[in-house]
Amino acid sequence: MSSSNAPPLDVALNAAISMRKKLAVPTPDLNAPAPSSAPDLFSNDYLSVTTNPKVRERFLARIVKEPRVFGTSGSRLLFGNKSPHVQFEQRMRAFFRWPAALLFNSGYDANLSFLHSVPQPGDAIVFDELMHASTRDGINMSRCRHSQYGFAHNSVASFREVLQKTLVRHPNIAAGKSTVFIAVETLYSMDGDFCPLRQIIETVEELVPKGSAHIMVDEAHTSGLFGDGRGLVPELGLQDRVHSILHTFSKTWGMSGAVFLTTPLVRHYMIGYARPMIYSTSLPYSHLVALNTTWDFVSGPEGQALVPRLRALAAHFESALHAALARAQVPSDLLALRPRAVPADFPAHVFSPVFPVLTRASKALADVLDAGGYALTPIPFPVVPRGEERIRVVVHAGNTEAEIDEFVARICVWAREFAAREEQEKGEPRATGVLARL
Ligand SMILES: Cc1ncc(COP(=O)(O)O)c(C=O)c1O
C-alpha cells in the first residue's frame, strides 16, 4: 500500500514514532534482551536480592512443598483471594505497624488505584512536579483532574505557595467540607534526592485545618533500606503525621507487587472502587512464596546488614567519580555528577544509592557502555529538561569496589575521547596524554 493511501492509524502512529526519533527519545528494541555481561549499575535491585544465591535456594526449597504454584484465575474479588494473599497482607500490616494494608499487583496499580478512586468531587491534589507516572496517571483519571496543582520539585517555598493558592481556590477545604491530597515521594529516582518531608508536613499542619488534608507518601525507593526495612517515614519518626504510604516490592525487595498502607476506611472503600485491583487477576501462588522469601531475607539480619555495605559503596562511587573527573579534566558540561545533598534534618546514616550523572551526550555514552555489556538506558531531552540529560547510575550491595572503579574509568575515558573528537572536529589540536594517565 502506498504511503498516500496508508490506513489513517498507520499514518498517525508513524508520525508519532518519527517525532520521538526526531527528538532522540530512545525506544528500546524489545526483541533483543538488555545486555547483562557487565555488572549491574543501573537497576533498582538495591540489595542485589534478585541475584543472591541463598535467597534463590530458599525459594526453591519452599516452592517444591507448595500444593499450588500457578495462577489464581481470578481477581481478589472473584475467586482470587486465597489464604497466601490474606496472610501476606496481614504480614505487611504487622510489619509496617499500620492500621490497614492492601496488596496490589504492582506499585503502578497501587498509586493509580488510590489516586483515581479516593479523591472526591470538590477535593484537590497538590503534588511534587517530579512524581512518578503512576501518580500522575492516577491524578489524571481522578475526579480531581481539573483541580490538580504541581509544585516545584522539593521546594518547600513553592509547596507553601501552591497550597495557599489551592486553599483560596477551594474554600470548602478550609471550611472542613473537602480534602486536599498531598502526594510526594521520599526519594526521587531520576534525581536521587530526598523530599523535605518534615517541612512539607509542617506546612500542611500549619495551613490546613486538621482532618482536611491527606498526605500520601510513595516510599518506592526507600522501602527496605531505612527504618529497619520499614522505610524513611518511620526512620524520620513521621509515621503518625502522614495518612497513606506506598511500598513497592519491585526495588529493594527484589520482586514485584506493592502494599498500600492507609486507614481501614480508605482500604474498605478501595476494595469497592479501585479498578486495577478489582479487574485484574491476583498475584500467582508462586509469587507469594517468592515475596515471603525475599521479605524474610531483606527484613532480617542478613538483608539489613547489606544496607551499611550499600552506603559505603555509594560513598565510594561518589568519591571515585569526583576524583576521576578532576584527574581527567573532563569538561563539566560533558560529564558531571548532579549535586544532591541529604536534607540536614535527616539522620546521618540516610544516603541515596541513586546518582544522576549529567551528560549532554547521554545517547553516545549509552551506546558505548551497551557495547561493553552494561544495561544502560540514557535519559535524554525531552524526558528531562535540556541541559539536564543524564545517565542514572545505581549502586548495589552486590557490586564491588573494583567494578565501580572500572565503570568510573570507562566513563572518564569515553568523556576524554569524546571531548578530543569534538575539539578535532572544530579544527583545534587534539588533547593527548590525559587518557594514558587514567
Ligand atoms: C516512585 C515510584 N512509584 C511507583 C512505581 C511503580 O512501581 P512498580 O514498578 O512496582 O509498578 C515506581 C517504579 O519505578 C516508582 O519509581
Side-chain angles (χ1 to χ4, degrees):
M1 195 177 284
S2 81
S3 63
S4 59
N5 58 4
L9 182 60
D10 291 14
V11 173
L13 300 189
N14 278 321
I17 290 168
S18 304
M19 176 58 79
R20 274 178 80 93
K21 256 201 202 132
K22 223 158 95 191
L23 293 170
V25 182
T27 302
D29 171 13
L30 295 185
N31 294 317
S36 60
S37 56
D40 176 11
L41 283 157
F42 315 103
S43 81
N44 294 318
D45 182 15
Y46 299 122
L47 294 187
S48 304
V49 171
T50 65
T51 51
N52 186 310
K54 273 194 211 157
V55 183
R56 179 177 184 273
E57 263 168 42
R58 289 172 198 168
F59 167 73
L60 293 175
R62 270 174 155 176
I63 197 80
V64 290
K65 297 190 197 131
E66 290 297 318
R68 304 190 73 164
V69 296
F70 298 130
T72 63
S73 287
S75 98
R76 287 190 72 194
L77 277 73
L78 197 72
F79 323 122
N81 190 39
K82 308 298 184 187
S83 60
H85 302 82
V86 175
Q87 280 164 14
F88 189 70
E89 203 168 71
Q90 283 168 355
R91 181 178 187 182
M92 294 298 93
R93 194 165 65 80
F95 177 74
F96 288 111
R97 304 178 185 130
W98 209 263
L102 192 55
L103 186 59
F104 285 91
N105 291 6
S106 70
Y108 184 92
D109 281 4
N111 273 341
L112 195 77
S113 292
F114 174 73
L115 285 156
H116 97 74
S117 70
V118 175
Q120 301 294 307
D123 292 348
I125 305 173
V126 175
F127 59 96
D128 187 291
E129 65 183 359
L130 291 193
M131 287 299 285
H132 188 258
S134 50
T135 301
R136 303 295 297 271
D137 291 356
I139 294 173
N140 287 328
M141 285 171 64
S142 78
R143 299 177 187 92
C144 293
R145 59 185 158 277
H146 301 303
S147 51
Q148 53 165 303
Y149 308 101
F151 64 93
H153 178 54
N154 277 348
S155 163
V156 180
S158 168
F159 175 66
R160 169 177 278 276
E161 191 189 328
V162 171
L163 184 58
Q164 278 170 329
K165 283 188 179 157
T166 304
L167 293 171
V168 171
R169 205 169 292 170
H170 301 271
N172 271 349
I173 296 170
K177 293 180 192 155
S178 292
T179 305
V180 58
F181 288 80
I182 292 97
V184 290
E185 292 174 23
T186 41
L187 171 63
Y188 290 85
S189 70
M190 283 296 149
D191 288 76
D193 55 358
F194 291 95
C195 170
L197 190 56
R198 189 179 306 281
Q199 291 76 2
I200 295 281
I201 293 172
E202 283 168 0
T203 308
V204 174
E205 290 173 348
E206 181 196 328
L207 298 179
V208 186
K210 203 171 159 47
S212 290
H214 190 112
I215 302 174
M216 180 243 151
V217 183
D218 183 334
E219 285 247 28
H221 293 277
T222 44
S223 183
L225 287 185
F226 305 113
D228 298 325
R230 292 175 180 82
L232 190 60
V233 171
E235 175 77 59
L236 299 175
L238 298 172
Q239 64 275 19
D240 298 328
R241 295 166 72 185
V242 306
H243 307 89
S244 296
I245 303 185
L246 168 79
H247 287 272
T248 51
F249 309 146
S250 50
K251 324 291 182 210
T252 302
W253 304 99
M255 281 296 300
S256 66
V259 67
F260 198 77
L261 307 175
T262 188
T263 66
L265 177 61
V266 169
R267 179 182 186 273
H268 185 78
Y269 174 90
M270 283 169 82
I271 292 170
Y273 288 90
R275 299 175 73 84
M277 136 168 221
I278 299 168
Y279 296 108
S280 187
T281 298
S282 61
L283 292 169
Y285 293 95
S286 51
H287 201 98
L288 271 300
V289 176
L291 272 176
N292 275 302
T293 310
T294 64
W295 212 273
D296 289 346
F297 178 79
V298 173
S299 65
E302 290 168 297
Q304 289 303 301
L306 294 175
V307 178
R309 156 124 191 108
L310 178 62
R311 183 166 60 244
L313 285 170
H316 179 80
F317 174 74
E318 189 157 1
S319 58
L321 183 61
H322 277 310
L325 289 172
R327 212 167 39 239
Q329 297 166 9
V330 171
S332 61
D333 71 324
L334 185 56
L335 205 63
L337 184 59
R338 189 178 218 262
R340 79 240 191 290
V342 176
D345 62 316
F346 279 27
H349 57 265
V350 173
F351 67 100
S352 168
V354 179
F355 295 88
V357 178
L358 301 181
T359 171
R360 60 184 155 79
S362 62
K363 172 87 173 66
L365 175 55
D367 286 346
V368 166
L369 289 174
D370 279 5
Y374 290 94
L376 172 76
T377 306
I379 306 165
F381 171 83
V383 182
V384 286
R386 184 87 66 198
E388 295 196 19
E389 299 87 347
R390 66 192 67 180
I391 62 167
R392 177 179 171 269
V393 178
V394 178
V395 175
H396 304 90
N399 290 135
T400 63
E401 277 87 352
E403 287 171 1
I404 289 172
D405 293 344
E406 185 186 336
F407 176 75
V408 166
R410 269 178 188 251
I411 61 176
C412 288
V413 167
W414 166 83
R416 285 303 309 167
E417 287 180 350
F418 192 91
R421 257 197 318 278
E422 280 190 329
E423 277 175 31
Q424 212 175 30
E425 277 161 19
K426 276 194 252 154
E428 289 165 20
R430 184 179 176 137
T432 53
V434 182
L435 278 181
R437 296 204 296 274
L438 281 167

